[in-house]
Amino acid sequence: MIELVIVECIPIVLLLLFFLVVWNKKQLVNVPFSLCVMICVVVIFSIALLPNDVSIDKPRYVSLFHARYYWGFQEDYKDPGWAFYVTLCAKLFNNNVFFFFLSTAAIYVFAYLAFAKRFFEEKAFYFLLMSMGCMGFFSYATNTIRPGFAIAFMLLGLCSKNKIWAIFLMICAVVFHRSMIIPFVAYCATSIVDKRWMYFLIWFACLLLAIINVDLGPLFQAFGFLDDRVELYAGSINQSMGRYKQGFRWDFLLYSVFPMIISMYFVHKHKIEDAVFSKVFNMYLLCNSVWLLAIRAMYTDRLAYLSWFLIPFVVLFPIIKYRNEYKNPNLLTFGLMFFFFSINVVLMII
């Protein structure tokens, strides 16, 4: 719908405006945190005000919201945290679904802002803008809302300085949507073993299995890692439904590989050794490896996003954190952001 297209153009417009203001500067500029908050508020209301038929899944969330208002919490719901949250909102907002979408969007967007502030400090705007412009951000705010809401808690866990609190928030993410067990396990694994070569080896092994058509989609379906629509089609390989492409997704594979190549180039060129980056990058590799095993499944991008939401960090952190290593980090950052924004637009069109 035209409304969604307009909302998704927000980061592109911001990127162009910001570039026009600072294009002649070599160093990255500080953007007031208050301005970042204002942008987030605009995005939150833009998401919440979208019509209920803006996506295929949103009407289902509206029906669930009203059902929870009249029937209350259902313990047999497969994601009890989400069921409890929807029930709480339905009662608290007196069955007004707009405030439900508003609060959900606020938690989702402000989680990205908190993550940006934690790791990028006064350069938080760059991470925030790139996150909004990359593939999947608005889809997880307007369509696949439940896993998007769970990702918010995963981000809050990742940016927590207290490990106990971090694990608690990530467990909450799993309770909200069980697919979050994949990044949660990746977080635990990378906390124990910090060997980048090992995770690259796992990734290449999974890629090989994907190429020879080893399909683990039914396994993910059995464990409930995929949401309802994915479960419906996970066993249908090499078929299509509507405009959705199925089979071996070379476009998604390239989209996943670009961040690895870009970040590793800067890391090795400038001999960057950073424990935080290493951990998140290893998480990205591990989560993306899991997606490769179901690359031919219908709506496979929903599983891929369990790694893709880390792309802005993986790409920008080596540049922004170590910006003094580059002659023109400002132009470099904008170039990379424009590159990923363009990929997002191309993939939406095709």
Side-chain angles (χ1 to χ4, degrees), residues 162-181:
N162 186 299
K163 270 199 171 182
I164 296 177
W165 184 240
I167 292 174
F168 171 76
L169 288 170
M170 291 182 188
I171 291 175
C172 288
V174 175
V175 174
F176 283 119
H177 196 273
R178 65 183 64 183
S179 67
M180 293 303 115
I181 197 170

Side-chain angles (χ1 to χ4, degrees), residues 17-299:
L17 290 176
F18 193 54
F19 180 73
L20 289 175
V21 174
V22 302
W23 68 272
N24 60 338
K25 298 181 183 296
K26 291 186 176 182
Q27 297 303 316
L28 298 172
V29 300
N30 296 338
V31 176
F33 186 70
S34 57
L35 180 58
C36 293
V37 174
M38 289 174 60
I39 292 172
C40 286
V41 171
V42 171
V43 171
I44 289 167
F45 274 92
S46 299
I47 293 171
L49 289 170
L50 287 171
N52 292 336
D53 61 349
V54 72
S55 64
I56 297 176
D57 284 359
K58 194 172 182 181
R60 299 168 62 221
Y61 289 105
V62 174
S63 298
L64 175 66
F65 178 80
H66 293 312
R68 290 291 171 264
Y69 177 77
Y70 291 109
W71 300 106
F73 175 71
Q74 300 291 320
E75 294 183 1
D76 60 341
Y77 196 73
K78 68 177 184 178
D79 292 313
W82 176 254
F84 177 79
Y85 169 73
V86 176
T87 304
L88 179 64
C89 288
K91 301 296 184 181
L92 185 64
F93 300 136
N94 196 27
N95 206 26
N96 189 321
V97 74
F98 167 74
F99 289 106
F100 163 67
F101 286 123
L102 183 65
S103 63
T104 304
I107 293 172
Y108 177 72
V109 174
F110 280 132
Y112 275 89
L113 180 60
F115 188 88
K117 182 63 177 177
R118 167 70 174 83
F119 291 112
F120 295 89
E121 300 173 341
E122 70 277 4
K123 304 297 187 295
F125 175 79
Y126 292 92
F127 173 84
L128 189 66
L129 183 57
M130 183 167 179
S131 295
M132 291 179 179
C134 281
M135 191 162 64
F137 180 87
F138 284 104
S139 176
Y140 271 65
T142 60
N143 192 37
T144 48
I145 299 173
R146 179 162 42 109
F149 186 80
I151 280 177
F153 283 83
M154 186 61 61
L155 286 170
L156 292 174
L158 285 173
C159 68
S160 175
K161 296 181 180 179
N162 186 299
K163 270 199 171 182
I164 296 177
W165 184 240
I167 292 174
F168 171 76
L169 288 170
M170 291 182 188
I171 291 175
C172 288
V174 175
V175 174
F176 283 119
H177 196 273
R178 65 183 64 183
S179 67
M180 293 303 115
I181 197 170
I182 294 173
F184 177 59
V185 170
Y187 172 85
C188 295
T190 54
S191 298
I192 299 172
V193 180
D194 185 20
K195 302 291 184 182
R196 191 178 301 157
W197 64 268
M198 183 182 299
Y199 296 107
F200 265 116
L201 187 63
I202 293 173
W203 188 87
F204 279 111
C206 291
L207 176 61
L208 179 61
L209 291 174
I211 291 174
I212 63 177
N213 199 6
V214 175
D215 173 37
L216 295 186
L219 179 63
F220 297 130
Q221 177 185 358
F223 282 96
F225 291 162
L226 309 176
D227 70 19
D228 298 336
R229 289 180 67 204
V230 181
E231 290 176 1
L232 184 60
Y233 306 116
S236 303
I237 306 301
N238 295 325
Q239 297 178 10
S240 63
M241 174 169 289
R243 293 182 57 195
Y244 191 89
K245 294 182 180 180
Q246 200 175 351
F248 194 92
R249 296 301 303 261
W250 288 101
D251 50 351
F252 288 173
L253 178 61
L254 290 174
Y255 185 75
S256 300
V257 169
F258 284 140
M260 303 180 196
I261 297 174
I262 292 169
S263 57
M264 284 298 97
Y265 171 78
F266 291 120
V267 166
H268 288 289
K269 180 180 180 180
H270 298 287
K271 304 295 187 295
I272 297 173
E273 293 294 335
D274 188 281
V276 173
F277 172 80
S278 180
K279 182 177 183 61
V280 176
F281 185 84
N282 291 341
M283 283 184 62
Y284 176 81
L285 287 175
L286 203 52
C287 292
N288 199 257
S289 300
V290 175
W291 161 70
L292 286 172
L293 299 177
I295 193 172
R296 289 178 170 84
M298 182 66 80
Y299 300 107

